Amino acid sequence: MKGVIMAGGKGTRLRPLTCNLPKPMVPLLHKPVMEYSIELLKKYGITDIAVTLHYMPEAIKNYFGDGSDFGVNLHYFEETTPLGTAGSIKNAEEFLDERFIVISGDALTDFDLSKGINYHVEKDSLVTIFMKQVESPLEYGVIMTNQDGEIIRFLEKPSWSEVFSDTVNTGIYVLEPEIFNYMEKDVQTDFSKDLFPLLMKEGRPLYGFPADGYWSDIGSLQQYRQSHRDMLDGEVNLPFSGHEIDKGIWVGNNVVIEDGVKMESPVHIADGAVIRSGADVKSYSVIGRNNVISSKASLKKSILWHDVYVGSDCELRGATLANGIMVEQGATIYEHAVVGNHCKIGKRSTLKPEVKIWPEKEIYDEALVHTSLIWGRKATKSLFGGRGVSGIANVEITPDYIARLASAYGAVLPHGCHIAIASDSHSFSELIKGAFIQGLLSSGINTCDISPTVAPVVRFAIEEESLQGGVYIRFSNRGGEKQVFIEFYDHKGLPIHPDLERKIENAYWQEDYRRAAFDMIGKGTHNNFKNEEYIEALLQTVNTKRIKNSKFRIVVNYNHQPYLSFIPILFNKLDCEFLTVPSQTGAEEMASFVRVTNANLGILVGEAGETLSLITESGKLLDEETMLSLYVLVTFYEGKQNEMAIPIYGSSDLDSLAGRLNGRLIRTKANPRSIMEVGSGVMNFQYDAQYALIHILEMMATQQISLSELVDLLPNVNMLREYVPCPWDKKGKVMRRLMEDIRDNNVELVDGIKVFHPQGGWTLILPDVEQPIFTVYSQGSDMDQAKEAAAEFINKIRQYQQV
């Protein structure tokens, strides 16, 4: 049997460690991670091995050669252009003329390969995937099998709402040569996105093997550090170099540890290292070949590669240092700081936590470095959340960070294209907008600033002007959170697709910015009239005469800020009398004000101008389910539209309501893009408060009824909504256990898990994208049935996160 090691990875998220080193060559306890893969294959008698290469191939070839020094035969297959995970294997088809196993060159595992191979043979499978349960499955391909082990569902890099298990694809496969019949040579093909879905569609035998043992994808700096800890703790059943001179203290050959050195296990010290008297080497420190640790230097939880010099009185805490670095006397490097090859850290200088220094940089004496050199401060795995990018004002979201984010966005847009950009009227939003515009202009992107305004106006401008995209920036201080939100829109005015989010993230992490020539930079313009144009477009969608004749009196929860100035303009154009209350007024107090003033209704508009809440003339605040029902009624009552999107959790009673009005509901994921994609334009009931309001006013005017009477036309909805806390690292396990429980039920997996009950009704379990909670929706023939069904799953969620 032959083996394949995929070794083409760049290791973008490991930078600056991988600036001049391919990811498979990153060391774990002083050996390249790929060397452990070779040793594992050799352990199970697989010595004829193909190695697929793409990024910096010579570094791998020069180290491993033909493999004879490692007891194997290596055959290299180099891609001149990226062919994808499966395409790179196709490149080695002539060599792979018998059953073979594929393993990653940048993952660490001690799986028993023979068990997986035997499983593959027993199942007579075409492809067998080694599977593993992980705490956070978002970065992997999630797998679901039937009771026989056959894979029945596969989803690559899901969002939390799409996660149906914590069992993931480890990138280790046993395959038959017949697999090549399903691939074309020199065509980019990915195992997870292309090949596996094709095999499932054609009913070919595709099985999952539940592997026991350790597995870690060394995909991030955090995971790189954790893998070292796991190895030192003995959690990885793989041999590593050195001999144990005391419990938990491993040293290599020719190591000098002078008298008076303090040592706290576990520690690993490579060949030729020198540790001077008075040094203090604390737990989870890894000291590379030929390192010198001077007197009174202190190390803890730090990883040092080779040829590193640490001067006297230095302090390293949770730092990672690449090859050939000099840390001079009295320097301090704090948690999660990373320094690339051949840097010099000057005397008494300080690198603050999370700082990253690119290779061959020099930090001057006594410098205080609190931002990275060529590396962004916001060092999270993902920039994007549920609605764009967000963070704490001037802490996580800073002008320098935003300039880099804008440059990354500009890099994925066509040079010379035009986008809309806007903010609310908060001074910090305007500051961030300015930085964003500068980043775009330097990338050769033209901008049109339509501030101050709200998000629906930005989407309207994109559609009306046929722009390539748009950005909206707003500030929120609810609960003292001081959050800044940056939302991105595509050429249709929709929130950008996750694929484009990943492209922006990749450009950001790789510093792959496009700097236009000085005479080809973008041009910035300003348009002060978009709010008025938006209002005119809104009014064209309703019969304004009917609304004017009704002389509505409306109480508005209003933040008197310039970006909301179009609200009174809109009411004036509809001859509505409006009374304002301060924006911080609570719903109960506002309801009282509506009753006292004999108003027709009260409205609360969300900060971005998207969400709408209503209070009836009798002072009743309408809940989310009622508002959604109201939107369905108003959408179809005059036949203005024939279909409408609602979230997957929308009540089943709404289908009957839509049917009576000759309309059709389309259930989608509960995110803005999925909702907005259905329809003929960007104006939308659920994400444009102004559009929704004027259509509700139009129906009230046409039918000559109050808001309460309009609500009385809606069906009674017996639906329950409950929130169940769950730690992030338990969410995947909970979803897997739930899926195992309901394997034989009628289930829908559009967004979360929706279980249809035999006695009628359904329960939806939806993992929240941004918070460590589950939302459980349940509908039954009555509220008691809904509560009973919800309680069953709420108890399971609580139980499974404890197991």
Side-chain angles (χ1 to χ4, degrees):
M1 185 172 178
K2 294 181 178 179
V4 179
I5 296 177
M6 293 190 291
K10 290 184 177 181
T12 303
R13 286 186 287 134
L14 289 175
R15 291 183 179 179
L17 299 179
T18 51
C19 285
N20 44 24
L21 193 71
K23 187 178 176 185
M25 293 301 295
V26 169
L28 286 171
L29 292 187
H30 321 301
K31 292 197 304 189
V33 60
M34 178 175 153
E35 191 170 336
Y36 293 101
S37 297
I38 291 175
E39 291 174 346
L40 186 67
L41 291 172
K42 180 184 174 184
K43 177 180 178 181
Y44 292 99
I46 302 168
T47 57
D48 217 9
I49 303 169
V51 181
T52 63
L53 304 173
H54 176 59
Y55 178 67
M56 300 184 68
E58 295 306 318
I60 295 173
K61 290 180 181 179
N62 291 340
Y63 183 88
F64 291 105
D66 62 4
S68 57
D69 290 346
F70 302 88
V72 296
N73 301 312
L74 298 182
H75 308 264
Y76 296 104
F77 296 88
E78 188 175 337
E79 305 165 47
T80 53
T81 57
L83 294 174
T85 53
S88 66
I89 306 300
K90 177 75 172 179
N91 206 29
E93 180 177 4
E94 291 184 5
F95 171 74
L96 299 171
D97 53 0
E98 59 183 76
R99 181 179 298 136
F100 60 97
I101 186 168
V102 175
I103 190 168
S104 173
D106 49 29
L108 181 69
T109 183
D110 59 9
F111 288 162
D112 187 330
L113 301 184
S114 62
K115 288 184 178 180
I117 294 167
N118 293 337
Y119 181 90
H120 174 86
V121 174
E122 290 168 7
K123 296 295 184 181
D124 193 24
S125 181
L126 177 61
V127 177
T128 298
I129 301 175
F130 280 64
M131 306 183 304
K132 178 71 175 175
Q133 292 168 8
V134 299
E135 290 182 347
S136 180
L138 300 186
E139 292 299 312
Y140 309 103
V142 179
I143 294 175
M144 181 177 168
T145 62
N146 61 21
Q147 292 177 332
D148 191 42
E150 190 168 7
I151 293 173
I152 57 175
R153 188 169 171 83
F154 189 96
L155 185 62
E156 182 69 9
K157 294 187 178 180
S159 66
W160 269 120
S161 65
E162 297 170 315
V163 168
F164 47 80
S165 176
D166 62 348
T167 303
V168 303
N169 172 14
T170 65
I172 301 174
Y173 315 123
V174 183
L175 307 104
E176 299 296 325
E178 181 189 345
I179 196 71
F180 293 119
N181 297 334
Y182 297 89
M183 293 183 267
E184 295 182 45
K185 190 170 180 61
D186 297 327
V187 173
Q188 188 166 359
T189 309
D190 186 80
F191 277 121
S192 302
K193 294 181 180 178
D194 305 311
L195 186 59
F196 295 157
L198 174 62
L199 296 177
M200 292 174 66
K201 181 179 179 182
E202 299 199 0
R204 303 294 290 142
L206 182 66
Y207 283 83
F209 170 66
D212 290 324
Y214 183 88
W215 174 78
S216 174
D217 171 34
I218 315 298
S220 67
L221 291 165
Q222 177 186 356
Q223 195 58 47
Y224 178 68
R225 290 187 291 266
Q226 184 62 46
S227 295
H228 275 93
R229 290 182 63 108
D230 294 340
M231 295 180 80
L232 291 173
D233 283 337
E235 295 184 19
V236 189
N237 186 23
L238 291 173
F240 49 79
S241 60
H243 53 281
E244 199 170 10
I245 62 170
D246 200 353
K247 185 173 177 57
I249 297 177
W250 290 268
V251 299
N253 298 321
N254 303 316
V255 172
V256 176
I257 303 176
E258 295 182 350
D259 293 340
V261 171
K262 294 180 182 179
M263 198 87 70
E264 179 184 307
S265 66
V267 166
H268 196 285
I269 305 169
D271 299 349
V274 176
I275 305 178
R276 300 295 186 189
S277 177
D280 187 2
V281 180
K282 297 182 182 295
S283 58
Y284 299 104
S285 291
V286 176
I287 299 172
R289 287 193 301 272
N290 304 319
N291 284 1
V292 175
I293 311 300
S294 300
S295 177
K296 298 183 182 179
S298 175
L299 277 65
K300 184 176 182 180
K301 298 181 181 178
S302 294
I303 301 166
L304 280 58
W305 290 11
H306 309 313
D307 303 308
V308 174
Y309 173 84
V310 179
S312 60
D313 297 303
C314 289
E315 186 175 345
L316 277 61
R317 293 289 179 266
T320 304
L321 277 60
N323 295 327
I325 293 170
M326 175 177 287
V327 185
E328 296 195 322
Q329 178 186 3
T332 303
I333 306 178
Y334 284 113
E335 287 81 0
H336 304 166
V338 184
V339 184
N341 287 341
H342 305 296
C343 287
K344 180 180 178 182
I345 311 301
K347 295 176 182 178
R348 296 176 297 281
S349 59
T350 300
L351 304 189
K352 300 294 274 184
E354 303 285 350
V355 163
K356 296 172 181 64
I357 308 297
W358 240 240
E360 301 182 10
K361 299 291 182 292
E362 181 174 352
I363 306 300
Y364 296 112
D365 294 352
E366 301 184 6
L368 175 62
V369 183
H370 55 82
T371 57
S372 300
L373 295 184
I374 321 182
W375 189 253
R377 287 190 64 191
K378 195 178 174 76
T380 56
K381 184 175 288 188
S382 175
L383 301 179
F384 285 83
R387 290 296 300 269
V389 177
S390 63
I392 302 171
N394 228 21
V395 176
E396 296 172 313
I397 304 294
T398 60
D400 55 319
Y401 165 69
I402 287 299
R404 288 190 289 272
L405 177 64
S407 296
Y409 178 42
V412 303
L413 295 173
H415 182 274
C417 73
H418 293 74
I419 75 156
I421 187 164
S423 70
D424 60 21
S425 44
H426 193 278
S427 58
F428 192 80
S429 302
E430 293 174 341
L431 172 69
I432 293 301
K433 178 190 64 180
F436 208 107
I437 289 174
Q438 299 307 316
L440 288 174
L441 296 181
S442 70
S443 300
I445 306 301
N446 301 301
T447 64
C448 180
D449 184 355
I450 59 173
S451 306
T453 191
V454 291
V457 178
V458 180
R459 297 196 292 267
F460 164 76
I462 294 168
E463 183 179 60
E464 185 193 42
E465 302 287 343
S466 299
L467 304 177
Q468 191 69 30
V471 176
Y472 182 62
I473 299 163
R474 63 186 177 89
F475 177 83
S476 173
N477 197 30
R478 285 175 296 175
E481 58 188 0
K482 298 180 178 64
Q483 290 279 314
V484 179
F485 297 86
I486 302 105
E487 297 178 3
F488 296 74
Y489 305 106
D490 67 11
H491 65 285
K492 295 181 180 179
L494 304 177
I496 61 173
H497 193 277
D499 287 348
L500 185 55
E501 289 181 352
R502 290 193 186 103
K503 288 182 180 179
I504 296 170
E505 287 181 345
N506 288 339
Y508 179 87
W509 296 125
Q510 296 177 39
E511 296 284 325
D512 188 13
Y513 306 149
R514 178 183 63 221
R515 297 301 184 201
F518 78 95
D519 55 348
M520 298 180 67
I521 62 172
K523 295 180 180 179
T525 58
H526 198 284
N527 186 328
N528 295 313
F529 304 106
K530 276 301 165 195
N531 285 345
E532 289 79 1
E533 293 173 20
Y534 165 72
I535 291 172
E536 292 304 318
L538 280 178
L539 297 178
Q540 289 175 17
T541 67
V542 293
N543 187 323
T544 56
K545 185 176 180 180
R546 292 177 184 173
I547 299 175
K548 288 179 179 179
N549 290 339
S550 295
K551 303 294 182 183
F552 287 113
R553 174 181 289 180
I554 301 172
V555 175
V556 185
N557 185 306
Y558 182 39
N559 184 347
H560 291 268
Q561 294 293 327
Y563 80 103
L564 294 174
S565 61
F566 65 88
I567 289 180
I569 297 174
L570 177 62
F571 287 139
N572 286 330
K573 285 184 175 290
L574 292 171
D575 289 347
C576 295
E577 179 186 358
F578 66 97
L579 310 171
T580 64
V581 297
S583 59
Q584 65 268 24
T585 304
E588 186 175 333
E589 185 180 356
M590 185 171 170
S592 176
F593 195 72
V594 171
R595 292 193 302 269
V596 169
T597 58
N598 292 318
N600 298 98
L601 72 162
I603 69 168
L604 299 91
V605 177
E607 291 171 338
E610 293 185 329
T611 57
L612 176 69
S613 297
L614 296 181
I615 296 174
T616 68
E617 76 285 354
S618 61
K620 179 183 178 182
L621 176 66
L622 304 184
D623 58 27
E624 288 185 37
E625 283 73 27
T626 303
M627 290 299 299
L628 184 59
S629 301
L630 190 58
Y631 293 154
V632 173
L633 174 64
V634 176
T635 296
F636 296 130
Y637 88 102
E638 278 192 347
K640 291 184 178 182
Q641 298 181 36
N642 56 21
E643 63 181 21
M644 174 185 177
I646 64 171
I648 189 70
Y649 56 75
S651 166
S652 302
D653 298 305
L654 299 182
D655 294 286
S656 301
L657 174 61
R660 291 197 301 271
L661 298 169
N662 298 315
R664 183 171 74 95
L665 294 180
I666 299 172
R667 279 179 168 72
T668 74
K669 296 178 181 178
N671 64 63
R673 180 179 175 88
S674 298
I675 299 290
M676 293 183 201
E677 279 182 314
V678 178
S680 56
V682 295
M683 291 182 178
N684 179 285
F685 276 91
Q686 295 169 69
Y687 291 98
D688 189 332
Q690 296 69 229
Y691 178 81
L693 175 63
I694 64 173
H695 281 267
I696 291 169
L697 293 177
E698 181 189 34
M699 186 170 182
M700 291 170 61
T702 300
Q703 301 297 324
Q704 296 186 342
I705 58 177
S706 68
L707 181 57
S708 293
E709 291 171 323
L710 189 58
V711 171
D712 288 340
L713 298 176
L714 303 176
N716 291 322
V717 176
N718 296 310
M719 193 168 79
L720 188 72
R721 180 190 310 208
E722 295 282 353
Y723 300 98
V724 187
C726 179
W728 286 110
D729 59 357
K730 298 293 193 299
K731 277 188 175 182
K733 179 172 76 171
V734 169
M735 292 295 280
R736 170 176 56 83
R737 294 292 299 273
L738 290 173
M739 288 297 297
E740 291 170 355
D741 285 351
I742 60 175
R743 194 185 296 271
D744 299 325
N745 292 55
N746 182 8
V747 176
E748 187 176 73
L749 299 174
V750 173
D751 203 16
I753 302 174
K754 190 172 187 179
V755 186
F756 295 92
H757 305 305
Q759 69 274 23
W762 48 264
T763 301
L764 172 68
I765 302 99
L766 193 62
D768 194 276
V769 175
E770 296 186 328
Q771 300 182 66
I773 60 172
F774 281 88
T775 306
V776 178
Y777 301 86
S778 191
Q779 182 178 3
S781 56
D782 55 43
M783 190 55 72
D784 288 338
Q785 186 191 29
K787 289 180 179 178
E788 182 179 348
E792 176 187 355
F793 287 98
I794 290 170
N795 290 335
K796 286 177 183 281
I797 293 170
R798 289 172 177 158
Q799 174 189 345
Y800 292 154
Q801 60 185 281
Q802 301 299 327
V803 177

